[in-house]
């Protein structure tokens, strides 16, 4: 469950007061351990990046999972691989746990898969001075390494004893298996046994060049519009008997969305539109066929679109407005719209902001500067959103790089040590 407001406020105040003295002797030892073993972390990153683990390369995902499982075994965690049912068509997830009675119960979230499938021409590991390129190097194998190295630093100073920490590395974050009720069941169950979730997607810098923390992420959803008109000779269009046809009605609706539904952090993009006498979409909604003639009024139209929102209230407002626009049919037409949610929203909350303040304090005390909140509209969907409705959460604690999901994906090597220091101090303070 999320921390009680008064309890969390007291925790933040206590840690902020402690921050006046910067790092404690134990925390300084933790920082020293991180810095002394930075090269070891970089070597682990290289090993993981050199294993292709595109979401649909199940063997590769499991191999990367095996590599990280070895690290958690060495740290004294209880580990297991969670296979998915064949129908889900995903490799599974790595779960590592330890039980104790001290401090907050933490859930640390990463993912093993990348967008680069087995036949990808994108290179594996390639170091160039202070940066390195490779498949998933910052999205998010860099974040996975930060988790491991922060925990390793805590172990070396004896600070892991009697703590409750769960680590979930999913094998399908880039394309979650369906139904998500199955593919994310274990992650949700882990969240219900925890107090705070920390996710390690790449750190994003703000316009001033500062590393940020993510207290909100927009939902990933979709919508499908189906429109019907009266087929007939084109010379009769706009008349009472023939009506306006399906294509004009689809255009009216989509432009109505643009004019009447917009608000901050809400987007609705029509990504595919088909219209004509006959229209068909495949099961994925990404391909289709249309047939028609210039002298025939269109009988059918279909639109498949994307919908992003920051809260359930914003979703409900958008749905209501979009349905109202769809219902105002032009003569001779009819239309219906349906909505489908993939990733729920991670709404910005006071609890999430309080976790960010603790993280920012840890960063400041370590001499790494304050961490501001990233505007929520600037991030896409991620695994943390499946658990954020259940407990206070913070994302964006990973590495810093450029070009995620592209052939130019890279990583600033120094960001691994920076983020590991911040994370290790935060984990230490939360588990005291």
């Amino acid at each position: 469950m999320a921390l009680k407001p008064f309890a969390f406020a007291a925790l933040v105040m206590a840690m902020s007061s402690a921050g006046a003295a910067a790092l404690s002797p134990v925390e300084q030892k933790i920082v020293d351990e991180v810095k002394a073993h930075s090269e070891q972390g970089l070597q682990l990153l290289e090993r993981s990046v050199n294993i292709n683990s595109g979401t649909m390369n199940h063997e590769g995902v499991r191999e990367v999972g095996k590599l990280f499982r070895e690290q958690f075994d060495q740290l004294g965690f209880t580990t297991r691989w969670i296979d998915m049912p064949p129908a889900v068509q995903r490799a599974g997830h790595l779960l590592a746990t330890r039980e104790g009675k001290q401090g907050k119960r933490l859930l640390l979230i990463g993912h093993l898969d990348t967008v680069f499938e087995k036949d990808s021409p994108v290179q594996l590991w390639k170091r160039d001075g202070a940066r390195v390129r490779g498949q998933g190097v910052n999205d998010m194998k860099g974040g996975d390494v930060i988790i491991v190295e922060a925990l390793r630093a805590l172990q070396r100073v004896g600070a892991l004893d009697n703590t409750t920490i769960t680590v979930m590395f999913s094998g399908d974050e880039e394309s979650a298996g369906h139904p998500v009720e199955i593919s994310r069941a274990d992650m949700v169950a882990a969240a219900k046994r925890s107090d705070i979730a920390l996710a390690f997607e790449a750190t994003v810098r703000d316009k001033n060049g500062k590393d940020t923390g993510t207290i909100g992420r927009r939902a990933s959803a979709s919508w499908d519009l189906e429109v019907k008109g009266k087929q007939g000779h084109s010379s009769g269009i706009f008349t009472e008997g023939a009506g306006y046809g399906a294509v004009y009605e689809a255009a009216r609706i989509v432009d109505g969305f643009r004019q009447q539904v917009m608000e901050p952090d809400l987007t609705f993009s029509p990504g595919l539109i088909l219209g004509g006498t006959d229209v068909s979409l495949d099961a994925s909604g990404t391909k289709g066929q249309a047939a028609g003639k210039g002298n025939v009024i269109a009988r059918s139209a279909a639109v498949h679109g994307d919908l992003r929102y920051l809260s359930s209230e914003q979703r409900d407002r958008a749905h209501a407005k979009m349905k109202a626009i769809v219902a105002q049919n032009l003569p001779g037409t009819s239309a219906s719209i349906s909505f489908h949610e993939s990733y729920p929203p991670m709404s910005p909350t006071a609890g999430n902001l309080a976790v960010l303040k603790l993280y920012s304090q840890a960063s400041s005390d370590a001499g790494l500067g304050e961490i501001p909140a990233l505007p929520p509209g600037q991030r896409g969907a991620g695994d943390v959103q499946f658990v954020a409705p259940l407990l206070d959460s913070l994302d964006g604690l990973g590495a810093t790089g450029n070009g995620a999901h592209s052939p130019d994906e890279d990583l600033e090597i120094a960001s691994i040590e920076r983020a590991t220091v911040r994370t290790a101090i935060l984990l230490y303070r939360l588990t005291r």
Side-chain angles (χ1 to χ4, degrees):
M1 295 177 62
L3 288 173
K4 300 293 185 183
F6 293 115
F8 208 171
L11 177 64
V12 173
M13 289 179 62
M15 291 190 175
S16 297
S17 298
L23 300 181
S24 70
V26 174
E27 290 171 342
Q28 187 58 58
K29 289 181 181 179
I30 292 171
V31 173
D32 293 342
E33 289 293 340
V34 170
K35 293 182 176 180
H37 295 89
S38 288
E39 187 60 32
Q40 178 180 331
L42 193 60
Q43 291 170 3
L44 175 60
L45 179 59
E46 181 177 3
R47 291 173 64 192
S48 68
V49 170
N50 278 331
I51 303 169
N52 175 275
S53 57
T55 307
M56 301 311 295
N57 179 9
H58 296 175
E59 181 180 353
V61 172
R62 293 189 186 101
E63 188 175 350
V64 176
K66 181 180 178 182
L67 173 63
F68 282 106
R69 184 175 186 175
E70 291 170 355
Q71 314 308 311
F72 292 116
D73 286 338
Q74 294 169 11
L75 291 167
F77 282 71
T78 299
T79 62
R80 68 185 178 98
W81 184 260
I82 303 171
D83 283 309
M84 290 291 99
V88 176
Q89 299 181 36
R90 295 296 185 271
H93 315 304
L94 174 62
L95 180 68
T97 60
R98 64 181 304 123
E99 299 291 336
K101 298 181 180 179
Q102 176 176 290
K104 298 302 173 187
R105 303 170 299 170
L106 305 181
L107 171 61
L108 312 183
I109 299 173
H111 66 83
L112 304 166
D113 65 320
T114 76
V115 298
F116 305 100
E117 293 298 340
K118 198 170 184 177
D119 60 353
S120 172
V122 175
Q123 65 191 13
L124 296 173
W125 183 266
K126 184 179 180 181
R127 185 168 178 173
D128 182 12
R131 305 189 76 85
V132 63
R133 295 174 64 175
Q135 297 182 5
V137 69
N138 78 59
D139 186 15
M140 63 166 294
K141 291 177 179 179
D144 297 338
V145 168
I146 288 164
I147 292 173
V148 170
E149 293 305 309
L151 293 171
R152 209 188 302 276
L154 294 178
Q155 183 202 42
R156 291 195 181 103
V157 302
L160 274 186
D161 297 341
N162 201 30
T163 60
T164 299
I165 299 175
T166 301
V167 183
M168 173 68 79
F169 283 179
S170 67
D172 62 348
E173 191 275 345
E174 299 294 359
S175 179
H178 289 280
V180 293
E181 290 78 12
I182 293 177
S183 67
R184 291 299 176 271
D186 297 283
M187 186 177 291
V188 170
K192 292 178 179 178
R193 300 190 300 268
S194 305
D195 298 310
I196 298 172
L198 303 174
F200 290 77
E201 292 279 8
T203 296
V204 177
R205 286 190 172 138
D206 67 11
K207 61 183 179 180
N208 298 315
K210 288 187 176 182
D211 292 345
T212 66
T214 298
I215 61 171
R217 300 184 73 149
R218 296 192 298 164
S220 175
S222 62
W223 49 275
D224 289 288
L225 175 68
E226 293 187 11
V227 182
K228 300 297 181 184
K230 295 180 180 179
Q231 182 175 339
H233 199 288
S234 61
S235 64
I237 197 166
F238 309 142
T239 64
E240 184 177 350
Y244 282 66
V247 170
Y248 271 116
E249 172 66 348
R252 178 198 67 81
I253 292 170
V254 171
D255 194 51
F257 293 168
R258 179 187 65 83
Q259 295 190 55
Q260 301 177 44
V261 185
M262 282 190 178
E263 61 179 75
D265 295 319
L266 175 71
T267 57
F268 35 90
S269 171
L272 175 65
I273 184 166
L274 298 167
T277 304
D278 296 294
V279 165
S280 63
L281 275 170
D282 69 2
S284 70
T286 61
K287 295 180 181 179
Q289 292 182 323
K293 292 184 176 182
N295 61 354
V296 178
I297 298 172
R299 180 176 60 192
S300 301
V303 186
H304 178 70
D306 174 81
L307 180 64
R308 308 276 173 152
Y309 45 86
L310 201 50
S311 68
S312 56
E313 293 79 11
Q314 188 174 53
R315 174 200 64 200
D316 293 344
R317 286 197 302 273
H319 284 189
K321 291 178 181 179
M322 293 169 83
K323 288 178 180 177
I325 292 168
V326 169
Q328 298 165 9
N329 304 124
L330 291 172
T333 68
S334 62
S336 63
I337 191 169
S338 58
F339 300 95
H340 318 278
E341 186 171 84
S342 297
Y343 286 71
M346 175 186 181
S347 301
T349 65
N352 295 353
L353 184 59
V355 179
L356 174 62
K357 288 182 178 179
L358 298 181
Y359 183 61
S360 180
Q361 186 70 58
S363 181
S364 294
D365 292 348
L368 297 173
E370 296 182 351
I371 307 294
L374 181 74
Q378 294 185 19
R379 291 213 82 139
D383 270 342
V384 71
Q385 292 168 234
F386 291 104
V387 304
L390 302 172
L391 74 176
D392 298 324
S393 304
L394 182 65
D395 201 350
L397 278 64
T400 304
N402 298 313
H405 291 202
S406 82
D408 298 321
E409 181 169 331
D410 78 346
L411 172 82
E412 178 197 351
I413 293 173
S415 72
I416 296 285
E417 181 180 290
R418 235 179 13 246
T420 303
V421 166
R422 292 168 176 151
T423 298
I425 296 172
L426 178 64
L427 298 183
Y428 176 76
R429 292 178 178 182
L430 289 174
T431 54
R432 293 311 92 196

Short mmCIF file of all heavy atoms in Angstrom, two decimals, residues 303-352:
data_model
loop_
_atom_site.label_atom_id
_atom_site.label_comp_id
_atom_site.label_asym_id
_atom_site.label_seq_id
_atom_site.Cartn_x
_atom_site.Cartn_y
_atom_site.Cartn_z
N VAL A 303 -11.19 3.98 -38.88
CA VAL A 303 -10.04 4.73 -38.39
C VAL A 303 -9.51 4.02 -37.14
O VAL A 303 -10.29 3.68 -36.24
CB VAL A 303 -10.40 6.18 -38.04
CG1 VAL A 303 -9.14 6.96 -37.67
CG2 VAL A 303 -11.13 6.86 -39.18
N HIS A 304 -8.19 3.80 -37.11
CA HIS A 304 -7.55 3.23 -35.92
C HIS A 304 -6.59 4.27 -35.37
O HIS A 304 -5.77 4.82 -36.10
CB HIS A 304 -6.78 1.95 -36.29
CG HIS A 304 -6.04 1.34 -35.13
ND1 HIS A 304 -6.69 0.72 -34.09
CD2 HIS A 304 -4.71 1.27 -34.85
CE1 HIS A 304 -5.80 0.27 -33.21
NE2 HIS A 304 -4.59 0.60 -33.65
N GLY A 305 -6.70 4.57 -34.07
CA GLY A 305 -5.90 5.65 -33.50
C GLY A 305 -5.32 5.33 -32.14
O GLY A 305 -5.66 4.34 -31.50
N ASP A 306 -4.44 6.22 -31.70
CA ASP A 306 -3.74 6.13 -30.43
C ASP A 306 -4.33 7.16 -29.47
O ASP A 306 -4.77 8.24 -29.89
CB ASP A 306 -2.25 6.43 -30.67
CG ASP A 306 -1.44 6.51 -29.40
OD1 ASP A 306 -1.07 5.45 -28.88
OD2 ASP A 306 -1.17 7.64 -28.92
N LEU A 307 -4.35 6.83 -28.17
CA LEU A 307 -4.89 7.75 -27.16
C LEU A 307 -3.97 7.73 -25.95
O LEU A 307 -3.65 6.65 -25.43
CB LEU A 307 -6.30 7.33 -26.77
CG LEU A 307 -7.03 8.17 -25.71
CD1 LEU A 307 -7.27 9.59 -26.25
CD2 LEU A 307 -8.36 7.53 -25.32
N ARG A 308 -3.52 8.90 -25.51
CA ARG A 308 -2.63 9.02 -24.35
C ARG A 308 -3.23 10.01 -23.36
O ARG A 308 -3.65 11.10 -23.73
CB ARG A 308 -1.24 9.53 -24.77
CG ARG A 308 -0.60 8.75 -25.92
CD ARG A 308 0.10 7.52 -25.45
NE ARG A 308 0.56 6.71 -26.56
CZ ARG A 308 1.61 5.90 -26.52
NH1 ARG A 308 2.32 5.79 -25.40
NH2 ARG A 308 1.95 5.17 -27.56
N TYR A 309 -3.25 9.63 -22.07
CA TYR A 309 -3.82 10.49 -21.04
C TYR A 309 -3.10 10.24 -19.73
O TYR A 309 -2.44 9.21 -19.54
CB TYR A 309 -5.32 10.25 -20.90
CG TYR A 309 -5.71 8.79 -20.86
CD1 TYR A 309 -5.71 8.07 -19.67
CD2 TYR A 309 -6.08 8.13 -22.03
CE1 TYR A 309 -6.06 6.73 -19.65
CE2 TYR A 309 -6.43 6.79 -22.03
CZ TYR A 309 -6.42 6.09 -20.83
OH TYR A 309 -6.76 4.77 -20.82
N LEU A 310 -3.24 11.19 -18.81
CA LEU A 310 -2.45 11.18 -17.58
C LEU A 310 -3.23 10.72 -16.35
O LEU A 310 -2.63 10.45 -15.31
CB LEU A 310 -1.88 12.58 -17.34
CG LEU A 310 -0.67 12.72 -16.43
CD1 LEU A 310 0.45 11.76 -16.83
CD2 LEU A 310 -0.15 14.15 -16.46
N SER A 311 -4.54 10.60 -16.46
CA SER A 311 -5.33 10.15 -15.32
C SER A 311 -6.62 9.51 -15.82
O SER A 311 -7.04 9.73 -16.96
CB SER A 311 -5.67 11.32 -14.39
OG SER A 311 -6.57 12.22 -15.04
N SER A 312 -7.27 8.75 -14.97
CA SER A 312 -8.53 8.14 -15.35
C SER A 312 -9.60 9.20 -15.56
O SER A 312 -10.49 9.04 -16.40
CB SER A 312 -8.98 7.14 -14.27
OG SER A 312 -9.06 7.76 -13.00
N GLU A 313 -9.50 10.31 -14.81
CA GLU A 313 -10.47 11.40 -15.00
C GLU A 313 -10.31 12.03 -16.37
O GLU A 313 -11.30 12.34 -17.06
CB GLU A 313 -10.28 12.47 -13.91
CG GLU A 313 -10.64 12.01 -12.50
CD GLU A 313 -9.55 11.17 -11.85
OE1 GLU A 313 -8.43 11.11 -12.40
OE2 GLU A 313 -9.82 10.56 -10.79
N GLN A 314 -9.07 12.22 -16.79
CA GLN A 314 -8.83 12.77 -18.12
C GLN A 314 -9.30 11.81 -19.20
O GLN A 314 -9.88 12.21 -20.22
CB GLN A 314 -7.34 13.08 -18.31
CG GLN A 314 -7.03 13.84 -19.59
CD GLN A 314 -5.58 14.26 -19.68
OE1 GLN A 314 -4.68 13.44 -19.54
NE2 GLN A 314 -5.35 15.55 -19.91
N ARG A 315 -9.07 10.52 -18.99
CA ARG A 315 -9.58 9.50 -19.92
C ARG A 315 -11.09 9.58 -20.04
O ARG A 315 -11.63 9.57 -21.16
CB ARG A 315 -9.17 8.11 -19.42
CG ARG A 315 -9.77 6.95 -20.22
CD ARG A 315 -9.74 5.67 -19.40
NE ARG A 315 -10.59 5.80 -18.22
CZ ARG A 315 -10.45 5.02 -17.14
NH1 ARG A 315 -9.51 4.09 -17.09
NH2 ARG A 315 -11.27 5.19 -16.11
N ASP A 316 -11.77 9.67 -18.92
CA ASP A 316 -13.23 9.69 -18.94
C ASP A 316 -13.77 10.92 -19.66
O ASP A 316 -14.76 10.84 -20.40
CB ASP A 316 -13.79 9.62 -17.51
CG ASP A 316 -13.50 8.29 -16.83
OD1 ASP A 316 -13.15 7.32 -17.54
OD2 ASP A 316 -13.62 8.22 -15.60
N ARG A 317 -13.10 12.06 -19.46
CA ARG A 317 -13.53 13.27 -20.18
C ARG A 317 -13.34 13.11 -21.67
O ARG A 317 -14.22 13.46 -22.47
CB ARG A 317 -12.72 14.49 -19.69
CG ARG A 317 -13.08 15.01 -18.33
CD ARG A 317 -12.54 16.41 -18.12
NE ARG A 317 -11.09 16.48 -18.27
CZ ARG A 317 -10.21 16.26 -17.30
NH1 ARG A 317 -10.64 15.92 -16.09
NH2 ARG A 317 -8.90 16.37 -17.52
N ALA A 318 -12.20 12.56 -22.06
CA ALA A 318 -11.93 12.37 -23.48
C ALA A 318 -12.93 11.41 -24.10
O ALA A 318 -13.46 11.67 -25.19
CB ALA A 318 -10.51 11.86 -23.68
N HIS A 319 -13.17 10.28 -23.43
CA HIS A 319 -14.13 9.31 -23.95
C HIS A 319 -15.50 9.95 -24.15
O HIS A 319 -16.15 9.75 -25.20
CB HIS A 319 -14.27 8.14 -22.98
CG HIS A 319 -13.12 7.17 -23.03
ND1 HIS A 319 -13.15 5.96 -22.37
CD2 HIS A 319 -11.92 7.22 -23.65
CE1 HIS A 319 -12.01 5.32 -22.60
NE2 HIS A 319 -11.25 6.07 -23.37
N ALA A 320 -15.95 10.71 -23.16
CA ALA A 320 -17.29 11.32 -23.24
C ALA A 320 -17.38 12.30 -24.41
O ALA A 320 -18.36 12.31 -25.18
CB ALA A 320 -17.62 12.02 -21.92
N LYS A 321 -16.36 13.15 -24.57
CA LYS A 321 -16.38 14.13 -25.66
C LYS A 321 -16.31 13.44 -27.03
O LYS A 321 -17.01 13.83 -27.97
CB LYS A 321 -15.21 15.10 -25.51
CG LYS A 321 -15.33 16.05 -24.32
CD LYS A 321 -14.10 16.94 -24.22
CE LYS A 321 -14.19 17.88 -23.03
NZ LYS A 321 -12.98 18.73 -22.90
N MET A 322 -15.46 12.42 -27.13
CA MET A 322 -15.31 11.72 -28.40
C MET A 322 -16.60 10.99 -28.77
O MET A 322 -17.03 11.01 -29.94
CB MET A 322 -14.12 10.76 -28.34
CG MET A 322 -12.78 11.48 -28.21
SD MET A 322 -11.37 10.41 -27.81
CE MET A 322 -10.95 9.79 -29.46
N LYS A 323 -17.24 10.36 -27.81
CA LYS A 323 -18.51 9.68 -28.09
C LYS A 323 -19.59 10.66 -28.52
O LYS A 323 -20.39 10.36 -29.42
CB LYS A 323 -18.96 8.92 -26.84
CG LYS A 323 -18.14 7.68 -26.52
CD LYS A 323 -18.64 7.02 -25.24
CE LYS A 323 -17.83 5.77 -24.90
NZ LYS A 323 -18.27 5.17 -23.62
N ALA A 324 -19.61 11.84 -27.88
CA ALA A 324 -20.62 12.85 -28.25
C ALA A 324 -20.41 13.32 -29.68
O ALA A 324 -21.39 13.51 -30.43
CB ALA A 324 -20.55 14.02 -27.28
N ILE A 325 -19.17 13.51 -30.09
CA ILE A 325 -18.89 13.93 -31.47
C ILE A 325 -19.29 12.84 -32.45
O ILE A 325 -19.88 13.11 -33.50
CB ILE A 325 -17.39 14.28 -31.60
CG1 ILE A 325 -17.07 15.54 -30.79
CG2 ILE A 325 -17.01 14.48 -33.06
CD1 ILE A 325 -15.59 15.80 -30.61
N VAL A 326 -18.98 11.61 -32.12
CA VAL A 326 -19.32 10.48 -33.00
C VAL A 326 -20.83 10.38 -33.19
O VAL A 326 -21.31 10.00 -34.27
CB VAL A 326 -18.76 9.16 -32.40
CG1 VAL A 326 -19.32 7.95 -33.13
CG2 VAL A 326 -17.24 9.16 -32.47
N ALA A 327 -21.59 10.74 -32.18
CA ALA A 327 -23.05 10.58 -32.23
C ALA A 327 -23.76 11.64 -33.07
O ALA A 327 -24.94 11.48 -33.41
CB ALA A 327 -23.62 10.60 -30.81
N GLN A 328 -23.07 12.71 -33.44
CA GLN A 328 -23.71 13.81 -34.17
C GLN A 328 -23.61 13.56 -35.68
O GLN A 328 -23.00 14.33 -36.44
CB GLN A 328 -23.05 15.14 -33.79
CG GLN A 328 -23.21 15.48 -32.32
CD GLN A 328 -22.27 16.59 -31.87
OE1 GLN A 328 -21.61 17.23 -32.69
NE2 GLN A 328 -22.20 16.83 -30.57
N ASN A 329 -24.23 12.51 -36.15
CA ASN A 329 -24.00 12.03 -37.51
C ASN A 329 -24.53 12.97 -38.59
O ASN A 329 -25.61 13.57 -38.46
CB ASN A 329 -24.65 10.67 -37.70
CG ASN A 329 -24.17 9.65 -36.68
OD1 ASN A 329 -24.97 9.07 -35.97
ND2 ASN A 329 -22.87 9.46 -36.59
N LEU A 330 -23.76 13.04 -39.68
CA LEU A 330 -24.25 13.71 -40.88
C LEU A 330 -25.40 12.90 -41.47
O LEU A 330 -25.51 11.69 -41.23
CB LEU A 330 -23.12 13.81 -41.92
CG LEU A 330 -21.96 14.76 -41.58
CD1 LEU A 330 -20.84 14.60 -42.61
CD2 LEU A 330 -22.45 16.20 -41.55
N PRO A 331 -26.26 13.53 -42.27
CA PRO A 331 -27.38 12.79 -42.87
C PRO A 331 -26.93 11.55 -43.65
O PRO A 331 -25.93 11.58 -44.36
CB PRO A 331 -28.01 13.83 -43.81
CG PRO A 331 -27.68 15.15 -43.18
CD PRO A 331 -26.31 14.97 -42.60
N GLY A 332 -27.64 10.47 -43.47
CA GLY A 332 -27.37 9.25 -44.21
C GLY A 332 -26.19 8.46 -43.70
O GLY A 332 -25.71 7.55 -44.40
N THR A 333 -25.69 8.76 -42.49
CA THR A 333 -24.53 8.04 -41.97
C THR A 333 -24.78 7.61 -40.52
O THR A 333 -25.67 8.10 -39.83
CB THR A 333 -23.26 8.92 -41.98
OG1 THR A 333 -23.39 9.98 -41.03
CG2 THR A 333 -23.00 9.49 -43.36
N SER A 334 -23.95 6.68 -40.08
CA SER A 334 -23.94 6.26 -38.68
C SER A 334 -22.49 5.95 -38.31
O SER A 334 -21.65 5.69 -39.18
CB SER A 334 -24.82 5.03 -38.45
OG SER A 334 -24.34 3.92 -39.21
N ALA A 335 -22.19 5.97 -37.02
CA ALA A 335 -20.81 5.73 -36.59
C ALA A 335 -20.78 5.20 -35.16
O ALA A 335 -21.68 5.47 -34.36
CB ALA A 335 -19.99 7.02 -36.68
N SER A 336 -19.73 4.44 -34.85
CA SER A 336 -19.51 3.93 -33.49
C SER A 336 -18.02 3.96 -33.18
O SER A 336 -17.19 3.84 -34.09
CB SER A 336 -20.06 2.51 -33.35
OG SER A 336 -19.37 1.61 -34.20
N ILE A 337 -17.68 4.11 -31.91
CA ILE A 337 -16.28 4.15 -31.49
C ILE A 337 -16.09 3.23 -30.31
O ILE A 337 -16.97 3.11 -29.44
CB ILE A 337 -15.83 5.59 -31.15
CG1 ILE A 337 -14.31 5.66 -30.97
CG2 ILE A 337 -16.56 6.12 -29.92
CD1 ILE A 337 -13.77 7.08 -30.90
N SER A 338 -14.94 2.56 -30.26
CA SER A 338 -14.59 1.70 -29.13
C SER A 338 -13.20 2.05 -28.66
O SER A 338 -12.36 2.52 -29.44
CB SER A 338 -14.68 0.22 -29.52
OG SER A 338 -13.82 -0.08 -30.60
N PHE A 339 -12.92 1.81 -27.36
CA PHE A 339 -11.65 2.18 -26.74
C PHE A 339 -11.00 0.94 -26.13
O PHE A 339 -11.68 0.06 -25.61
CB PHE A 339 -11.87 3.23 -25.66
CG PHE A 339 -12.48 4.51 -26.17
CD1 PHE A 339 -13.86 4.71 -26.11
CD2 PHE A 339 -11.69 5.51 -26.71
CE1 PHE A 339 -14.43 5.88 -26.57
CE2 PHE A 339 -12.26 6.69 -27.18
CZ PHE A 339 -13.63 6.87 -27.12
N HIS A 340 -9.66 0.92 -26.17
CA HIS A 340 -8.92 -0.23 -25.66
C HIS A 340 -7.67 0.28 -24.92
O HIS A 340 -6.86 1.00 -25.50
CB HIS A 340 -8.50 -1.15 -26.81
CG HIS A 340 -9.58 -1.36 -27.83
ND1 HIS A 340 -10.60 -2.27 -27.66
CD2 HIS A 340 -9.82 -0.74 -29.02
CE1 HIS A 340 -11.41 -2.21 -28.70
NE2 HIS A 340 -10.95 -1.28 -29.54
N GLU A 341 -7.52 -0.09 -23.65
CA GLU A 341 -6.38 0.36 -22.85
C GLU A 341 -5.31 -0.71 -22.80
O GLU A 341 -5.59 -1.88 -22.53
CB GLU A 341 -6.84 0.72 -21.43
CG GLU A 341 -5.73 1.33 -20.58
CD GLU A 341 -6.22 1.88 -19.26
OE1 GLU A 341 -6.34 1.07 -18.31
OE2 GLU A 341 -6.48 3.09 -19.16
N SER A 342 -4.04 -0.31 -23.03
CA SER A 342 -2.90 -1.22 -22.94
C SER A 342 -2.13 -1.00 -21.64
O SER A 342 -1.92 -1.91 -20.86
CB SER A 342 -1.97 -1.03 -24.14
OG SER A 342 -2.63 -1.35 -25.35
N TYR A 343 -1.66 0.24 -21.43
CA TYR A 343 -0.94 0.60 -20.21
C TYR A 343 -1.76 1.64 -19.46
O TYR A 343 -2.08 2.69 -20.00
CB TYR A 343 0.43 1.19 -20.54
CG TYR A 343 1.47 0.20 -21.00
CD1 TYR A 343 1.38 -0.39 -22.25
CD2 TYR A 343 2.54 -0.13 -20.19
CE1 TYR A 343 2.34 -1.30 -22.68
CE2 TYR A 343 3.51 -1.04 -20.60
CZ TYR A 343 3.41 -1.62 -21.85
OH TYR A 343 4.35 -2.51 -22.28
N PRO A 344 -2.09 1.41 -18.20
CA PRO A 344 -2.83 2.42 -17.42
C PRO A 344 -1.95 3.63 -17.16
O PRO A 344 -0.72 3.55 -17.28
CB PRO A 344 -3.16 1.68 -16.12
CG PRO A 344 -2.09 0.64 -15.99
CD PRO A 344 -1.76 0.21 -17.39
N PRO A 345 -2.53 4.75 -16.79
CA PRO A 345 -1.71 5.94 -16.52
C PRO A 345 -0.99 5.84 -15.18
O PRO A 345 -1.46 5.21 -14.24
CB PRO A 345 -2.74 7.07 -16.49
CG PRO A 345 -4.00 6.41 -16.04
CD PRO A 345 -3.98 5.03 -16.65
N MET A 346 0.18 6.46 -15.12
CA MET A 346 0.86 6.72 -13.85
C MET A 346 0.60 8.18 -13.54
O MET A 346 1.27 9.07 -14.06
CB MET A 346 2.36 6.45 -13.97
CG MET A 346 3.17 6.81 -12.75
SD MET A 346 4.96 6.63 -13.09
CE MET A 346 5.65 7.09 -11.48
N SER A 347 -0.40 8.43 -12.76
CA SER A 347 -0.79 9.81 -12.47
C SER A 347 0.18 10.44 -11.49
O SER A 347 0.60 9.79 -10.53
CB SER A 347 -2.21 9.85 -11.89
OG SER A 347 -3.14 9.28 -12.78
N PRO A 348 0.56 11.71 -11.70
CA PRO A 348 1.41 12.39 -10.71
C PRO A 348 0.65 12.52 -9.38
O PRO A 348 -0.51 12.93 -9.36
CB PRO A 348 1.63 13.77 -11.33
CG PRO A 348 1.30 13.61 -12.78
CD PRO A 348 0.25 12.56 -12.85
N THR A 349 1.27 12.10 -8.31
CA THR A 349 0.62 12.15 -6.99
C THR A 349 1.57 12.79 -5.98
O THR A 349 2.78 12.88 -6.21
CB THR A 349 0.25 10.75 -6.49
OG1 THR A 349 1.46 10.00 -6.28
CG2 THR A 349 -0.64 10.02 -7.50
N ALA A 350 1.01 13.17 -4.85
CA ALA A 350 1.84 13.72 -3.77
C ALA A 350 2.84 12.68 -3.29
O ALA A 350 3.98 13.01 -2.94
CB ALA A 350 0.95 14.19 -2.63
N GLY A 351 2.41 11.42 -3.24
CA GLY A 351 3.31 10.35 -2.81
C GLY A 351 4.47 10.17 -3.77
O GLY A 351 5.63 10.01 -3.34
N ASN A 352 4.20 10.20 -5.07
CA ASN A 352 5.28 10.08 -6.06
C ASN A 352 6.26 11.25 -5.93
O ASN A 352 7.48 11.07 -6.02
CB ASN A 352 4.71 10.05 -7.48
CG ASN A 352 3.86 8.83 -7.75
OD1 ASN A 352 3.78 7.91 -6.94
ND2 ASN A 352 3.21 8.82 -8.91
#
